[in-house]
Amino acid sequence: MLRRCLPLMMLAWVICTAGVVLAGALGRVLRGDLIAFETRRDGNAEIYLLDLNTRALYNFTRHPASDTAPVWSPDGEQLAFISQREGARRLWVADLQGRMRPVTPPGMLAAGTPGDVSWSEDGRTLLYLWQEGRRSIIYRVDLEADTPPREISQASPAAQAYLNRLRPRWQGIYAAPGDSNRSAAMEQIGGRWWLALRENVAEGDANPAITLVEVSEYAVFVGSRPQWSPSGETLAYYDLTGLTLDLFVIAARPGAVPRQLTFDGGMAPAWRPR
């Protein structure tokens, strides 16, 4: 009897041990300064967490379907992302314990991915922009109610605040956190790509102070969305390394040198709020 039970006991031990290892790996990662990012290193698009202090990596989504475009909640305790699991492209939300749920019904994201998912300050709702023909629609998702996304008027205060956050990004300008007078943009000059840091930008100022930091030797730069760290001292972006897109960080100061973070693929970085 013992011999018959032994394989089952060993299998149970292996499963439990694997769970402890995964939980331990995630625990180590969650103690650090984190970037969530998208990568295809496993053969399909997954969302990984990267600890910038230890370089520890964790496959957060771990699913054969495509998982892309991570966005942190304001408290850094949840991630919104796009997934094709369950056979349809939908918006999902996951907490850091690995509990995941879809928050849009099948069909609402079937034709593409929503643009610029944005959390409310209290983390209770999500807004995203949807293009339907020539018409732009802002949808609101109530995360505490089991209801489908609701279209909101673009004249509403919430929609106006959302659009005001998006408009500079549509121009390729990214404001530093909590500081409207500092921003970053990627600009191509002389066949190379530079990070243009703008300081003390007053409304209507035609000649803001600009510092250029070279970030790419390639004539075609792919990572067009630099992401500020919560401290406003560093930016993350992605760039071509041979035939692969990888993550880099660079300090927001003159003479800074880019530091490569990933070597097996990485894009769409999202810095965890502190």
Side-chain angles (χ1 to χ4, degrees), residues 27-140:
R28 288 193 297 273
V29 168
L30 294 183
R31 286 196 293 268
D33 192 9
L34 295 183
I35 286 181
F37 67 98
E38 177 186 328
T39 179
R40 296 181 182 274
R41 64 186 60 211
D42 299 315
N44 67 298
E46 298 278 11
I47 293 170
Y48 270 65
L49 302 182
L50 168 64
D51 185 322
L52 292 174
N53 300 320
T54 65
R55 298 292 184 93
L57 278 170
Y58 181 79
N59 185 341
F60 184 69
T61 48
R62 200 178 293 275
H63 195 277
S66 174
D67 299 307
T68 62
V71 184
W72 287 102
S73 61
D75 63 3
E77 295 299 318
Q78 298 182 89
L79 274 171
F81 61 97
I82 304 298
S83 180
Q84 288 183 314
R85 60 186 70 197
E86 298 185 0
R89 184 179 284 117
R90 302 165 75 179
L91 185 60
W92 286 63
V93 167
D95 62 24
L96 294 183
Q97 286 68 50
R99 295 184 290 263
M100 303 184 184
R101 62 189 176 99
V103 295
T104 57
M108 290 202 72
L109 301 180
T113 59
D116 293 291
V117 174
S118 178
W119 291 79
S120 62
E121 291 185 3
D122 60 12
R124 295 179 178 179
T125 61
L126 290 169
L127 293 179
Y128 67 90
L129 190 65
W130 184 250
Q131 202 72 27
E132 196 170 272
R134 295 184 178 181
R135 181 168 174 252
S136 296
I137 303 172
I138 299 175
Y139 280 112
R140 176 174 176 166

